[in-house]
């Protein structure tokens, strides 16, 4: 453990010992993207495609979109054509209901379904560079568009399960996501400002990771921070949390690929 | 093949100070990290960056293991004449990327 991460760990523990739960969701008009809590330099890095390293993954994703893959020998573009048209707004409504599986799937899972079922290729593992690139490319087509999660009878139970996870104290530090992200946003955790925890920029380039990463990777970081055992990548609990987070951020604009500290 | 992005104004006035920004795709693996099995991950970094304006070197940088992945370098030059500005990054394991941009000086 580096000195920096040890200092951070101590900060999380101290924080856990001094907090109580009250439980109130943030009013819609007070919601702010993590972007607004960043330094001016980091915001400038995100704003300019010539300095935002996430753009490399978007460009790689574009190349993959046009490349034939799998036993079927088809490219994404063979079926979906120009992504700027066909994928516009798609990421803004994921996780979305999948009729065959009778559950919501997130964007990475949806892309992997096309890989296995349509391209007849092996699925890409979570955080695999190509999967991040394809996801970033698809999500980038919705940059600037508002999140449009509209729960219905089928997705509501999953959304409610995600909300319950968000509100539940967990881990050795016995903290709920809501205690930081609903109740204490804007305050400091060691040197870091606690953001509201909106999923508006994913997959995003995190300076701490030195790489692009998925929303689930970010959620695993927060779970490890509260000494909870993170769910495995792709777990239903994560998709439920993603669905709740996207609904909680409904109407906010997508920023993919965002940059975060 | 690694990607690079360069940004500079395409048209400028003679004598004007021009800001140039460059971003290159590279992991900048320090050589100090180990895998979970304790094996050292070999160093793999960019060593040198060179910028030339119509063939004449105007900026050079040496890069070292503490530099972030996907290094972003920004610097300035004075616009003297129209032409081509080239950017070259070279490093470990034969890494080499070249990018160029044209500039019109009025």
């Amino acid at each position: 453990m580096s000195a920096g991460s040890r200092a951070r760990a101590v900060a999380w523990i101290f924080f856990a010992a001094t907090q109580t739960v009250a439980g109130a969701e943030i009013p819609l008009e007070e919601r702010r993207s993590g972007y607004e809590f960043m330094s001016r330099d980091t915001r400038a890095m995100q704003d300019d495609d010539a300095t935002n390293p996430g753009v490399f993954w978007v460009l790689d994703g574009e190349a993959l979109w046009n490349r034939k893959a799998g036993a079927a020998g088809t490219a994404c573009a063979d079926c979906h054509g120009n992504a700027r048209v066909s994928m516009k707004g798609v990421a803004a409504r994921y996780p979305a209901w999948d009729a065959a599986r009778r559950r919501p799937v997130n964007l990475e899972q949806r892309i992997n379904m096309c890989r296995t079922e349509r391209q007849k290729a092996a699925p890409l593992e979570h955080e695999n560079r190509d999967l991040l690139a394809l996801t970033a490319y698809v999500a980038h087509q919705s940059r600037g568009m508002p999140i449009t999660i509209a729960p219905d009878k089928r997705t509501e139970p999953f959304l409610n399960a995600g909300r319950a996870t968000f509100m539940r104290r967990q881990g050795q530090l016995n903290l709920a996501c809501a205690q930081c992200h609903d109740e204490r946003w804007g305050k400091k955790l060691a040197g870091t400002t606690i953001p509201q925890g909106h999923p508006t920029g994913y997959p995003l380039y995190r300076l701490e990771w030195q790489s692009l990463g998925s929303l689930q990777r970010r959620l695993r970081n927060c779970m490890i921070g509260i000494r909870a055992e993170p769910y495995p990548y792709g777990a239903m609990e994560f998709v439920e949390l993603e669905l709740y987070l996207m609904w909680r951020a409904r109407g906010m604009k997508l920023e993919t690929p965002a940059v975060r500290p | 093949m690694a990607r690079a992005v360069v940004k500079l104004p395409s048209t400028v006035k003679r004598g004007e100070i021009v800001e140039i920004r460059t971003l290159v795709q590279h992991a900048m693996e320090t050589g100090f990290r180990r895998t979970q099995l304790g094996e050292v991950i070999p160093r793999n970094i960019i060593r040198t960056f060179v910028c030339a304006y119509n063939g004449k070197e105007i900026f050079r940088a040496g890069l070292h293991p503490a530099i972030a992945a996907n290094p972003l370098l920004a610097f300035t030059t004075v616009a003297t004449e129209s032409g081509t500005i080239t950017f070259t990054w070279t490093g470990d394991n034969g890494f080499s990327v070249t990018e160029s941009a044209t500039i019109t000086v009025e």
Side-chain angles (χ1 to χ4, degrees):
Chain A
M1 205 189 261
S2 70
S5 58
R6 195 175 306 122
R8 198 154 39 216
V10 171
W12 284 63
I13 291 168
F14 177 75
F15 186 86
T18 55
Q19 302 306 328
T20 52
V21 201
E25 290 182 18
I26 302 169
L28 291 188
E29 65 285 358
E30 284 174 31
R31 290 170 312 162
R32 289 158 65 189
S33 157
Y35 174 89
E36 296 185 42
F37 299 92
M38 305 198 302
S39 71
R40 200 157 51 108
D41 285 346
T42 315
R43 273 183 277 156
M45 192 173 181
Q46 169 171 329
D47 288 343
D48 186 347
D49 280 353
T51 59
N52 181 341
V55 168
F56 289 137
W57 278 260
V58 172
L59 295 173
D60 286 345
E62 181 172 26
L64 290 166
W65 178 266
N66 293 304
R67 189 177 305 159
K68 297 195 186 301
T74 48
C76 316
D78 292 339
C79 295
H80 294 292
N82 184 347
R84 285 183 183 83
V85 180
S86 64
M87 291 293 136
K88 197 169 179 190
V90 170
R93 51 179 172 74
Y94 269 74
W97 183 253
D98 178 57
R101 286 165 183 73
R102 306 204 51 73
R103 60 175 168 83
V105 294
N106 69 16
L107 193 56
E108 286 93 339
Q109 291 171 327
R110 175 64 254 192
I111 290 171
N112 253 332
M113 282 157 56
C114 271
R115 255 189 78 84
T116 53
E117 291 161 24
R118 312 268 173 196
Q119 294 182 307
K120 310 283 179 213
L124 297 167
E125 282 189 23
H126 243 280
E127 305 310 295
N128 165 291
R129 213 190 147 87
D130 287 358
L131 184 58
L132 286 172
L134 279 167
T135 311
Y137 180 60
V138 169
H140 182 65
Q141 310 310 325
S142 305
R143 179 155 79 169
M145 295 179 70
I147 292 173
T148 54
I149 290 284
D152 59 24
K153 281 245 145 31
R154 302 166 306 178
T155 54
E156 227 170 62
F158 297 91
L159 183 94
N160 290 337
R163 180 196 278 112
T165 306
F166 193 83
M167 301 297 173
R168 187 172 61 238
R169 283 171 173 272
Q170 53 176 324
Q172 289 177 344
L173 301 195
N174 200 29
L175 282 171
C177 317
Q179 284 179 275
C180 283
H181 294 302
D182 278 349
E183 295 164 23
R184 272 130 191 133
W185 60 266
K187 298 192 173 152
K188 292 279 184 192
L189 181 61
T192 315
T193 307
I194 302 174
Q196 295 181 348
H198 293 300
T200 46
Y202 290 84
L204 58 70
Y205 192 87
R206 192 165 176 219
L207 301 178
E208 187 176 311
W209 294 335
Q210 295 277 291
S211 172
L212 204 80
S214 71
L215 177 57
Q216 292 196 5
R217 182 170 179 192
R218 172 68 252 187
L219 300 184
R220 287 172 66 91
N221 284 182
C222 275
M223 293 188 77
I224 290 166
I226 53 177
R227 306 286 184 280
E229 189 181 334
Y231 308 117
Y233 279 116
M236 199 58 228
E237 287 90 342
F238 266 147
V239 180
E240 291 163 357
L241 255 181
E242 282 188 50
L243 182 62
Y244 172 66
L245 290 174
M246 286 290 276
W247 176 80
R248 184 172 169 267
R250 63 198 177 280
M252 294 175 74
K253 289 191 170 64
L254 282 185
E255 302 160 43
T256 312
V259 176
R260 292 289 182 271
Chain B
M1 182 61 188
R3 297 176 185 277
V5 183
V6 300
K7 190 177 173 185
L8 68 164
S10 55
T11 308
V12 291
K13 293 204 176 63
R14 189 174 311 277
E16 202 175 303
I17 294 171
V18 182
E19 192 194 29
I20 300 175
R21 291 180 184 187
T22 69
L23 185 70
V24 66
Q25 191 174 31
H26 199 289
M28 293 298 282
E29 186 59 58
T30 61
F32 299 123
R33 296 200 310 157
R34 287 171 186 272
T35 65
Q36 288 191 333
L37 298 175
E39 289 155 7
V40 173
I41 305 172
R43 193 188 78 178
N44 179 18
I45 63 169
I46 299 174
R47 300 302 309 279
T48 314
F49 169 76
V50 177
C51 174
Y53 189 166
N54 281 341
K56 185 166 160 275
E57 185 175 312
I58 54 162
F59 182 87
R60 166 183 288 266
L63 286 85
H64 299 277
I67 292 174
N70 306 305
L72 162 64
L73 291 174
F75 50 95
T76 55
T77 190
V78 177
T80 49
E81 54 187 5
S82 297
T84 307
I85 302 186
T86 56
F87 309 88
T88 311
W89 295 261
T90 48
D92 295 341
N93 306 321
F95 182 86
S96 177
V97 171
T98 305
E99 187 66 44
S100 66
T102 53
I103 187 163
T104 306
V105 177
E106 293 175 334

